[in-house]
Amino acid sequence: MVPKTVFTATVVTGLYLIVNDAFYHWCFWCTFWLLLTLTFALHTIGSFYNPPLRALLPLITLQEERSTVNSLFDLVSRGSTVLNPMIAGAFILFMELYVLFAVSMACFILTFLKLKKINVSEFKTSDRKSLRKGCESLAQFFTWAKNDSMMRLLFPSTFMVVFFYTWTWQVGLLLALHELTQNGEEYYTFLQGIFGAVVVIANIVIPIVFKHFSIKTYAYASLLWGIGMLGFGLFYNVPGFIFSITIVGLSVPFAGLARVYILQHYVPESMHGRGFSANAVLLYASNTLSLLLIGYLASYVEIASLMLISAVLMLLSSFCLIVIITIKRPKVRRSDAI
């Protein structure tokens, strides 16, 4: 059940903070490996939060509100990633570290209490919940998606685009700045700030211009995304990076909102939870493989060349998606199709 999953993730994450706070105060053997284990547990638990929350939004919003609500959700999520480090830094600077954990725990408890008040009509099954049932349910969704023409386009293209994007954005850019400047971390933080500002503006403008999204919208957004990434390899200097980040900051929320809208709109309601879980699995797998494989190639290939090759392949995958859509329009189940 979608809300219960959100509640569980919130409560367990709050309990994690309590345990982490206790370890910080009372356990002198709180070593690096223990912190690493607890951090891994936090991110693992957190992965249960976003998919059911995305699946919950269609249950509490109207069809015409969906684009705005998704954009607002993305705006709050990305905005918090910009504000959180500053707030956390202020707590660490003026207060003890345990206060930060206590405030975080209180926020999770408050979130739980607010979510508990939401009443929705859910799709329910009589099956017993278990890990095996969860894996079988996810496999059933992938089987359904394999037979759906739109999902056959959406998921592979998403995997390819994210695969060629992740290493350049998370690792390659920082390495390039270290190579080009003497203050790589400062420049990286500055560029991330520009990216965050552009994303916020994009999330405000997009729902005003677009009330509905389609697979074609997603394809063109991915193409724009690839054009932005191409600038990293072509220019390979700080001014060029600023230009590229501006384009990427516009296209990332554009493509992300289009993908979320397609899943909410075209996947049957009974499969919403599985659909967003499958989407999360796909993104995590793509991120991990990108960091492993392209990261390995970084030992033998120049950073600029890797950025350029990744962007070209990203553009190629987006262009192929546009060609396929143009030649053979995917069949959809809803009236407001492509």
Side-chain angles (χ1 to χ4, degrees), residues 267-327:
V267 173
E269 181 182 328
S270 61
M271 291 187 176
H272 274 176
R274 284 174 281 182
F276 284 102
S277 295
N279 180 64
V281 169
L282 191 74
L283 295 178
Y284 291 144
S286 183
N287 287 334
T288 303
L289 289 174
S290 176
L291 294 174
L292 287 175
L293 298 180
I294 302 181
Y296 174 77
L297 292 176
S299 302
Y300 305 97
V301 183
E302 292 183 352
I303 298 173
S305 299
L306 270 180
M307 285 181 163
L308 187 60
I309 293 171
S310 297
V312 169
L313 293 175
M314 190 174 173
L315 278 171
L316 183 61
S317 63
S318 300
F319 182 74
C320 289
L321 178 61
I322 293 174
V323 171
I324 293 173
I325 294 171
T326 303
I327 295 175

Side-chain angles (χ1 to χ4, degrees), residues 97-139:
L97 185 58
Y98 74 89
V99 177
L100 178 62
F101 287 115
V103 171
S104 299
M105 179 184 66
C107 290
F108 277 103
I109 293 175
L110 181 62
T111 302
F112 167 75
L113 294 176
K114 291 295 183 180
L115 288 171
K116 193 173 176 60
K117 294 181 179 180
I118 299 177
N119 294 316
V120 295
S121 299
E122 302 178 68
F123 179 86
K124 300 180 181 180
T125 64
S126 57
D127 296 337
R128 294 183 59 186
K129 305 296 187 297
S130 66
L131 180 60
R132 180 181 176 182
K133 286 290 185 182
C135 294
E136 291 177 353
S137 180
L138 198 60

Side-chain angles (χ1 to χ4, degrees), residues 190-204:
F190 171 69
L191 293 177
Q192 290 288 334
I194 294 177
F195 174 77
V198 175
V199 166
V200 168
I201 295 172
N203 275 295
I204 295 173

Side-chain angles (χ1 to χ4, degrees), residues 196-265:
V198 175
V199 166
V200 168
I201 295 172
N203 275 295
I204 295 173
V205 174
I206 288 174
I208 298 175
V209 179
F210 295 90
K211 298 301 181 182
H212 302 279
F213 296 93
S214 67
I215 189 66
K216 184 179 290 187
T217 312
Y218 176 76
Y220 282 107
S222 298
L223 186 66
L224 180 63
W225 191 355
I227 292 172
M229 297 303 294
L230 187 64
F232 288 112
L234 285 179
F235 300 121
Y236 204 69
N237 54 50
V238 175
F241 289 168
I242 294 176
F243 172 76
S244 299
I245 280 178
T246 302
I247 298 178
V248 172
L250 291 171
S251 55
V252 166
F254 194 8
L257 291 172
R259 182 174 64 252
V260 169
Y261 182 91
I262 290 170
L263 290 172
Q264 290 175 340
H265 190 61

